[in-house]
Amino acid sequence: DDHLEQWKTNTSQILSDNKQTLIHENRLLNKLYRGHLQSAIKYYEKHKSLDIKLFTPIVIPNIVSFYIKKKDYHTAIKITEMGIAQYPEIRVFQKIYKKIKTKIQ
């Protein structure tokens, strides 16, 4: 019984954090897909100190790919930097970063 209550408490917190992450992600993606990089960066900077992630890791390659296809490497770099800051343990973000840097040079 005690374990069940503890699980319910933990589950509630996990679901709440995930919901908040998805809310922030939706706001950031709206700004980024509309081409409002500075607005997205300001939003990110304002909220990055929260104890939750501001987006899920899967969106980074997708949004970066969107900007690479547009040849907007500056924006792709900035988005990748946000991904690295939120998820430093995901090595593929560093690889994406290096790949974009080679396109700039």
Side-chain angles (χ1 to χ4, degrees):
D1 227 13
D2 194 32
H3 291 294
L4 184 58
E5 286 305 314
Q6 185 178 12
W7 178 81
K8 285 181 182 178
T9 302
N10 290 340
T11 302
S12 177
Q13 184 61 48
I14 290 167
L15 291 174
S16 174
D17 288 353
N18 286 336
K19 181 179 178 183
Q20 290 302 312
T21 295
L22 293 175
I23 289 169
H24 288 294
E25 178 178 277
N26 186 43
R27 290 176 183 159
L28 277 168
L29 288 177
N30 267 327
K31 293 173 187 313
L32 290 171
Y33 278 119
R34 290 184 177 164
H36 302 146
L37 176 63
Q38 293 308 317
S39 179
I41 290 172
K42 285 179 186 176
Y43 183 89
Y44 172 78
E45 291 295 325
K46 180 178 178 183
H47 295 91
K48 73 179 182 180
S49 63
L50 298 174
D51 287 339
I52 60 167
K53 301 292 185 183
L54 296 178
F55 46 83
T56 57
I58 194 68
V59 302
I60 296 301
N62 292 336
I63 191 80
V64 167
S65 176
F66 173 78
Y67 279 100
I68 287 174
K69 286 177 185 170
K70 293 173 62 171
K71 298 187 187 300
D72 185 349
Y73 303 120
H74 171 73
T75 300
I77 286 281
K78 290 293 187 187
I79 295 166
T80 305
E81 288 171 346
M82 287 190 277
I84 292 169
Q86 287 279 288
Y87 297 96
E89 71 279 9
I90 299 180
R91 299 275 182 232
V92 74
F93 292 164
Q94 281 98 17
K95 290 179 183 179
I96 292 170
Y97 184 84
K98 288 177 185 174
K99 182 180 176 183
I100 301 166
K101 280 290 203 181
T102 62
K103 291 183 179 288
I104 294 172
Q105 298 169 347

